[in-house]
Amino acid sequence: MVAALVARQAEAAGLRVEVESLGPGQAWVQGDQAQLRHAVMNLATNAVKFAAVSGTVTFRLSVEGTDAILEVIDDGMGIDPEDLPRLADRFYRASSARSRQVQGAGIGLSVVASVVHRHSGDLEFRSPPGEGTTARLRLPLVRERQEQADQGR
């Protein structure tokens, strides 16, 4: 659902959206649907803002052990390594965002981090210089529902 909403924004910006599922087609997590949707939407909106011109935003869903993993990936210029540890700080804006005069107040990623932690998850960022950014959200699976999905029920 979020990918479909972002696809419209991306298309308007001349970007492609790709959705990849590694492993089972479904990953069940328990939580507040509105909060989780808002968190993923914030990650997706950032990816659209910072993707390369005519670039791609990729959503990648996978399962690792007892966790669901969602990666939101852009192919933009990346983030300065000095900025990475502070990305989820409230009101912090990375130097690349400031220099590009990208709109935003610097609270979106702090909201994402708060939602993810309230759901017993983790949020991390990888951004090799010049190679774009990957926001990696990890949430615990709901074991019973995941077993049913894995068995094709």
Side-chain angles (χ1 to χ4, degrees):
M1 177 173 208
V2 171
L5 293 172
V6 172
R8 285 185 230 137
Q9 288 179 343
E11 189 176 293
L15 304 172
R16 279 190 338 251
V17 172
E18 295 179 356
V19 178
E20 300 174 3
S21 181
L22 308 176
Q26 300 177 7
W28 295 93
V29 298
Q30 184 171 6
D32 184 300
Q33 183 178 0
Q35 287 182 12
L36 291 170
R37 182 182 302 122
H38 185 71
V40 173
M41 195 68 188
N42 276 341
L43 293 175
T45 299
N46 275 1
V48 168
K49 281 184 197 178
F50 295 104
V53 174
S54 300
T56 302
V57 173
T58 303
F59 293 85
R60 182 177 297 143
L61 179 64
S62 61
V63 172
E64 291 181 5
T66 60
D67 295 321
I69 308 295
L70 174 66
E71 294 177 314
V72 181
I73 306 162
D74 71 62
D75 59 358
M77 67 179 158
I79 299 168
D80 188 318
E82 293 176 9
D83 289 322
L84 286 173
R86 299 197 55 211
L87 285 181
D89 291 356
R90 194 173 189 136
F91 301 116
Y92 184 76
R93 297 189 68 217
S95 57
S96 58
R98 292 189 305 268
S99 66
R100 287 181 64 192
Q101 297 180 348
V102 174
Q103 290 185 345
I107 61 171
L109 294 178
S110 68
V111 169
V112 173
S114 178
V115 167
V116 169
H117 291 128
R118 279 195 305 267
H119 288 82
S120 302
D122 292 312
L123 177 65
E124 63 182 52
F125 299 93
R126 289 190 306 263
S127 190
E131 295 183 27
T133 301
T134 298
R136 190 170 205 256
L137 190 154
R138 175 186 297 266
L139 294 169
L141 291 167
V142 176
R143 186 173 174 86
E144 182 178 301
R145 288 294 295 261
Q146 191 60 44
E147 287 172 356
Q148 291 172 356
D150 291 346
Q151 294 173 3
R153 293 185 208 165

